[in-house]
Amino acid sequence: MTKRAAWARAAAAAIVLLALDQATKQLVVHSLERGESRNVFFGIEITNVRNKGVAFGAFGGGGLPVTLLTLAAVAFLIAYFALHATRPWLWLPVGVI
């Protein structure tokens, strides 16, 4: 696979997942009260909550240090991908992050 194709696939994965993320957020906001849960699949529930942190509310109120750490991690990921874009399937984790 060429670098151009890998970048295109990563961008496509990012766009698809961003659209799915936003669609599910809108669905939850408009169909569930805050704190309400609903069973979606076998043993999987979706709950309307507000997250003020990073993943699962971790580091809530972390402010600038968390922002800088996040930006550094994303920059490292993009730089790594730029150097190794032709590796098979590397575009997928880059696109979903």
Side-chain angles (χ1 to χ4, degrees), residues 29-89:
V29 166
H30 293 295
S31 64
L32 296 175
E33 295 294 323
R34 190 170 299 177
E36 184 181 354
S37 294
R38 190 168 296 157
N39 189 338
V40 180
F41 293 115
F42 217 29
I44 298 175
E45 289 188 351
I46 193 161
T47 305
N48 186 352
V49 297
R50 297 298 182 267
N51 183 353
K52 302 210 185 252
V54 190
F56 306 105
F59 306 112
L64 185 61
V66 171
T67 301
L68 292 175
L69 183 62
T70 302
L71 290 173
V74 170
F76 175 78
L77 176 70
I78 291 171
Y80 183 84
F81 184 63
L83 294 173
H84 304 284
T86 57
R87 293 184 75 177
W89 294 100

Side-chain angles (χ1 to χ4, degrees), residues 1-13 81-87 91:
M1 171 181 311
T2 66
K3 283 190 174 190
R4 183 181 192 107
W7 281 101
R9 286 184 180 190
F81 184 63
L83 294 173
H84 304 284
T86 57
R87 293 184 75 177
W91 58 268

